Amino acid sequence: MRELALHVLDILRNTVDAGATHVTLIIEEDSARDRLTITVSDDGRGMTPETAAQVTNPFFTTRTTRHVGLGLPLLAAAAERAAGDLRIASTPGQGTTVEATFQLAHPDRQPLGDLPGTLLAFLLAEGAPQLRYEHRVMRGPAASRTFRFDTAAIRAELGDVPLNHPAVVQWLAEFLAEGEAELS
Ligand SMILES: Nc1ncnc2c1ncn2[C@@H]1O[C@H](COP(=O)(O)OP(=O)(O)O)[C@@H](O)[C@H]1O
Ligand SMILES: [Mg+2]
């Protein structure tokens, strides 16, 4: 079974291909509504309505480098297997929002998997945009936890030290792992 984190990495990579400079990833687990929602928004080049209508078809791609074109169809299939769906809202020249929903407790809902690893891989990639991340876990009105971070704040803190400095990578890996662990 594939982890949702790997799908998320694919969708995040699309934002880089789209030339995005700012990306937001929000993961919300809502037990009361039995809903898991994953939203990726970017300020990249966007899609025409014609492209947006086709991108959940397997093997549709506008990339000319590799012939894959499975990122969005695989996430759509994963959502549909878990009584959810995938929605795309996009405006050419402004950006794109991809939202996947799942029934949280559905037996075929894939596990979130290694989110810290996914986030780290994305943040350290060449040309990575700024990322604002929020992971909310709602287990009832009085039991809600959120882990969030913003690379803009981290970069400001680091000054001239690059994100891929070994000491920073080590710190980031621990920071992400602890933040996620505290949610469960
Ligand atoms: N965030 C995005 N912004 C603009 N276009 C996108 C975005 N995500 C996907 N697309 C478009 O949808 C197509 C299919 O995406 P995907 O299924 O991930 O396959 P691939 O990335 O291999 O082409 C891309 O080639 C691109 O044209
Ligand atoms: Mg892709």
Side-chain angles (χ1 to χ4, degrees), residues 17 39 50 57 71 99 109 116 131 138 141 170 177 183:
D17 295 338
T39 312
E50 294 74 38
N57 295 337
E99 182 186 272
R109 202 263 299 166
L131 178 68
M138 292 127 98
Q170 174 77 23
L183 291 175

Side-chain angles (χ1 to χ4, degrees), residues 10 14 17 63 71-72:
D10 279 347
N14 284 343
D17 295 338
R63 286 198 292 118
L72 289 166

Side-chain angles (χ1 to χ4, degrees), residues 9-15 17 61 63 66 68-73:
L9 188 54
D10 279 347
I11 304 312
L12 288 172
R13 284 187 173 140
N14 284 343
T15 71
D17 295 338
T61 183
R63 286 198 292 118
R66 277 174 292 140
V68 191
L70 281 173
L72 289 166

